[in-house]
Amino acid sequence: MLRRLLSPQYNRKRRVILMSVSPTRQAVWYAVKYFVFIIILMAVAAVLSAVFQFVKVSTESRAAYNPGRQKIIVDAGHGGGDGGAVSDSGLLEKNLNLELSLTLRDMLCAAGYDVIMTRSDDSMLTWEGAPSAKSGDLRARTEIASANPDALFVSIHMNKFPSASVHGVQLYYSPNHPASKSIASAIRDGVRAQLQPWNERPLKEAGSNIYVLDRIRSPAVLVECGFLSNAGEAAMLSHAEYRQALALVICSSLLDYLDKAG
Ligand SMILES: [Zn+2]
């Protein structure tokens, strides 16, 4: 090809072609090209301007709604070698906790909150020097809360009880911060208003048996989302739609609480 381009015969042909285009037609051709170029530039500028405006407006509205960019720690209980409770049908608590927590994370992020996940995959957390994998996992979760003292801590779990008839969402709150009980109360009210009007289960203050709530000093609650020991509730929890409904109730209740708390 190169040899062909350099050949006098080829260039002679090309000169003939160029010479055959009149100066007027060349001018029109350049004008058309220039016009198309300007149109493309204007279209790109319009798209960029629209994108910029969208980002600006959404950032402003989020800032107005959440001026301090409240942080929320979503703690998916268990994980990895610690499966948590197991239903008769073989549902593992750790998987349900994670799926619900990831949905809750997405909802809270969409509402403009900064979300920190204690885990976002099927693994245990680790803490160097801990006497066991389980104690290291729990310690690491509390350390995430300690590192973010201005964050609300929301732990997601599934329940289990010897009596198979027991069912319904149960809220625990940390005794170490006065806001914990208010947050638990907001979520319990949301659950009753939107999902379980029959749920009379009272809020419970966490004792030393719930390590994370016992240790965390900032506002912290634990949501037991349902009993895997109850066949009906376990079947509901196995459906993504029901877990999404639970995540939505928790999310909207947190938003209600934060709205009222100012
Ligand atoms: Zn659990």
Side-chain angles (χ1 to χ4, degrees):
M1 181 66 188
L2 185 63
R3 198 178 301 158
R4 191 168 155 253
L5 283 172
L6 292 174
S7 80
Q9 200 181 11
Y10 176 81
N11 279 320
R12 195 163 52 244
K13 275 186 194 165
R14 196 162 168 267
R15 265 200 306 278
V16 170
I17 292 165
L18 283 175
M19 282 166 69
S20 67
V21 178
S22 72
T24 316
R25 283 181 65 189
Q26 268 188 30
V28 170
W29 174 237
Y30 283 130
V32 167
K33 280 200 330 193
Y34 181 73
F35 181 71
V36 169
F37 180 65
I38 293 294
I39 293 291
I40 290 171
L41 265 188
M42 285 170 69
V44 169
V47 169
L48 283 178
S49 165
V51 169
F52 175 75
Q53 199 58 27
F54 173 77
V55 170
K56 188 165 169 272
V57 167
S58 70
T59 306
E60 278 170 1
S61 56
R62 284 185 354 171
Y65 190 69
N66 182 18
R69 295 287 294 170
Q70 173 70 54
K71 285 186 207 167
I72 298 173
I73 299 170
V74 176
D75 173 47
H78 311 279
D82 172 19
V86 187
S87 74
D88 284 349
S89 59
L91 287 171
L92 285 178
E93 181 192 351
K94 65 170 185 175
N95 295 336
L96 301 177
N97 293 344
L98 180 60
E99 284 159 16
L100 200 154
S101 296
L102 291 172
T103 306
L104 178 59
R105 173 197 66 184
D106 293 345
M107 290 175 177
L108 290 168
C109 284
Y113 292 89
D114 283 343
V115 177
I116 299 163
M117 300 291 290
T118 55
R119 70 176 175 104
S120 41
D121 58 18
D122 181 21
S123 58
M124 285 183 93
L125 280 70
T126 55
W127 189 259
E128 204 177 330
S132 69
K134 179 64 182 171
S135 64
D137 172 80
L138 294 173
R139 173 74 187 273
R141 291 170 201 259
T142 61
E143 290 298 331
I144 291 172
S146 300
N148 298 279
D150 53 344
L152 307 186
F153 187 94
V154 181
S155 191
I156 301 296
H157 283 257
M158 305 292 153
N159 227 333
K160 186 150 189 167
F161 197 67
S163 166
S165 63
V166 177
H167 63 291
V169 173
Q170 171 72 61
L171 267 298
Y172 289 88
Y173 61 93
S174 166
N176 303 324
H177 194 291
S180 301
K181 190 174 184 180
S182 306
I183 298 167
S185 179
I187 297 174
R188 193 266 317 267
D189 292 350
V191 168
R192 288 182 61 170
Q194 298 174 51
L195 269 186
Q196 299 176 353
W198 44 263
N199 191 331
E200 300 290 335
R201 211 171 279 288
L203 305 177
K204 285 187 181 170
E205 183 176 297
S208 57
N209 58 327
I210 302 183
Y211 181 91
V212 287
L213 296 191
D214 188 47
R215 298 300 175 95
I216 290 173
R217 316 312 295 179
S218 43
V221 298
L222 187 147
V223 189
E224 293 278 10
C225 295
F227 285 79
L228 292 182
S229 43
N230 179 280
E233 196 159 37
M236 285 168 74
L237 287 163
S238 72
H239 290 287
E241 291 79 7
Y242 184 66
R243 293 194 300 271
Q244 285 161 8
L246 279 164
L248 187 59
V249 168
I250 297 168
C251 176
S252 62
S253 304
L254 286 170
L255 264 57
D256 276 352
Y257 165 79
L258 289 165
D259 239 9
K260 285 176 189 150

